[in-house]
Amino acid sequence: MTTSDIRVCADWRAHHDRPVYTLGDTCPACGGDAVQSSPARYNPEDPYGEYRRRAKRRAGRD
Ligand SMILES: [Zn+2]
């Protein structure tokens, strides 16, 4: 088990006073979605996704 396995309630700010951590897919407190607590999961994906969309759009236009 690594720290990257830890997830946090996606909407903890709306439902809880503090981040609710879990190892499962859902928040044990509110039953909502739990997301990876590490932003590293998202940071690499967004730029690449944007890059792919731009490249695809550009290629389609050409
Ligand atoms: Zn929650």
Side-chain angles (χ1 to χ4, degrees), residues 9 16 27 30:
C9 178
H16 317 294
C27 173
C30 72

Side-chain angles (χ1 to χ4, degrees), residues 16-40:
H16 317 294
D17 292 333
R18 71 189 73 180
V20 177
Y21 294 98
T22 178
L23 296 178
D25 293 332
T26 57
C27 173
C30 72
D33 288 339
V35 298
Q36 293 284 337
S37 59
S38 172

